[in-house]
Amino acid sequence: GLGPQGPLQLQWRPYRFALPQAMVTSQGAWSERAGWLLRLKAADGRLGWGEAVVEPQQRGGLTAAMAPLPAALDRPVLETLLPQLPKPLACALGMALAELDGLGSTASGGGWRAAPPSAFLLPAGEAALAALDEALQTAAAAGHPPTVKWKVAAAADAQERRLLDLLLAQLPANGRLRLDANGGWDRTTAQAWAQRLAAEPRLDWLEQPLPPADQAGLEALALQLPVALDESLRSPAGWRPGVDWPGWLVRRPLLEGDPRPLLAALTAGTPRLMLSTALETGIGRRLLQHLAALQAVGPTPTAPGLAPGWR
């Protein structure tokens, strides 16, 4: 019963762009982002915009799933099809439908909201030291405490342990640190890092320290220090919605399918959800910033992960 009546017109356009620098993680390096932009036009002329972020291994499958979609269809039909589609397409369509229903409209809710200051994303390896210095200068000029996220499990462990000491020595007392292993540690390595950081007051969390399949290991580690789940939320072998998790959940709307349930959860004030980028274009970015703004006025506000400088 929401939104415009009559057929909706779908137009898709592909995009591809290079990242300013290659992102190196425990899962390898990647240097470009590709996907599709959606223009959804209602019968009364209103427009909704969406974005489908495509991982390299998904591109062929996404194109095949998009092919049978008609150029025009009624809203009820689209809503029925949406849950059956690959998550990137469901995200683009759900995003566009939310806009047709008033999301971002000045008349219905004050327009698109601006996100709070983001955490800074530090690159893997030695480059993290110079990036931290730049991040601290930027935060000081803006007048807010710095939150930094560092990609680990991407270089030799001994080297990263040495860099950790240097980073902590450089991070001010009011700074916050997040370490993202992208599931790249084993239990022995994760335990060694946990012992080093258990008494560190500036630690926000370890993000996905173990593979999604090792849920038992993640739960045991979370008894010692804060652990945030990321890849576990999108893996068939990982955490299941509805299962209580004591730590944070890193939500990447552009990778999760229809974003409207997440929008509803944040509007309702669901705690311990942190919004993070998939290095999307400005179409997806305005939704991400809006969701991060909702998170910031909820019960557990925290800096979103918008990766300034990486897009």
Side-chain angles (χ1 to χ4, degrees):
L2 296 176
Q5 303 298 313
L8 301 174
Q9 306 291 328
L10 285 73
Q11 291 183 297
W12 298 93
R13 293 292 184 272
Y15 70 81
R16 185 185 298 271
F17 62 85
L19 302 182
Q21 56 184 316
M23 181 169 292
V24 180
T25 75
S26 64
Q27 307 304 313
W30 53 290
S31 58
E32 69 172 24
R33 168 58 80 202
W36 295 79
L37 300 180
L38 168 66
R39 179 181 185 266
L40 192 63
K41 185 176 182 180
D44 61 4
R46 282 185 286 172
L47 299 177
W49 298 88
E51 177 174 355
V53 167
V54 186
E55 302 301 316
Q57 68 275 15
Q58 294 178 319
R59 190 166 182 84
L62 190 66
T63 303
M66 188 183 298
L69 288 176
L73 71 172
D74 291 333
R75 173 75 178 260
V77 177
L78 180 56
E79 292 283 9
T80 300
L81 287 174
L82 195 147
Q84 307 169 36
L85 295 173
K87 288 183 177 180
L89 294 184
C91 177
L93 289 163
M95 189 187 310
L97 289 169
E99 186 174 1
L100 287 184
D101 288 341
L103 182 63
S105 166
T106 302
S108 65
W112 294 101
R113 301 193 186 193
S118 171
F120 297 92
L121 177 60
L122 305 183
E126 299 280 350
L129 296 175
L132 175 60
D133 183 63
E134 182 178 346
L136 295 181
Q137 293 182 41
T138 301
H144 61 78
T147 297
V148 295
K149 171 179 168 177
W150 180 33
K151 291 285 186 181
V152 293
D157 189 62
Q159 176 192 16
E160 292 186 336
R161 297 284 293 276
R162 176 182 62 83
L163 290 172
L164 173 66
D165 291 337
L166 296 175
L167 289 169
L168 288 174
Q170 196 174 345
L171 189 67
N174 67 345
R176 307 296 300 172
L177 177 66
R178 302 168 181 174
L179 299 179
D180 185 8
N182 291 108
W185 285 336
D186 57 26
R187 289 190 182 187
T188 300
T189 304
Q191 183 60 41
W193 282 75
Q195 290 175 352
R196 169 66 179 83
L197 293 163
E200 174 52 63
R202 293 167 293 179
L203 178 70
D204 263 353
W205 55 66
L206 298 182
E207 185 172 325
Q208 199 65 50
L210 298 171
D214 192 3
Q215 182 64 19
L218 290 164
E219 291 172 357
L221 202 61
L223 296 176
Q224 303 175 55
L225 76 176
V227 173
L229 300 183
D230 182 359
E231 285 85 352
S232 285
L233 308 186
R234 297 179 299 279
S235 169
W239 174 85
R240 293 289 184 271
V243 176
D244 186 43
W245 174 252
W248 286 78
L249 303 178
V250 177
R251 302 298 299 266
R252 300 181 188 272
L254 272 290
L255 301 180
E256 295 184 8
D258 187 348
R260 291 175 293 176
L262 177 58
L263 172 63
L266 291 167
T267 302
T270 303
R272 299 191 307 277
L273 303 181
M274 194 279 284
L275 277 298
S276 191
T277 180
L279 301 181
E280 58 285 313
T281 74
I283 296 295
R285 186 72 160 197
R286 66 177 184 175
L287 172 69
L288 176 61
Q289 291 174 332
H290 187 87
L291 296 176
L294 293 176
Q295 199 281 336
V297 297
T300 54
T302 192
L306 305 182
W310 286 83
R311 292 176 58 255

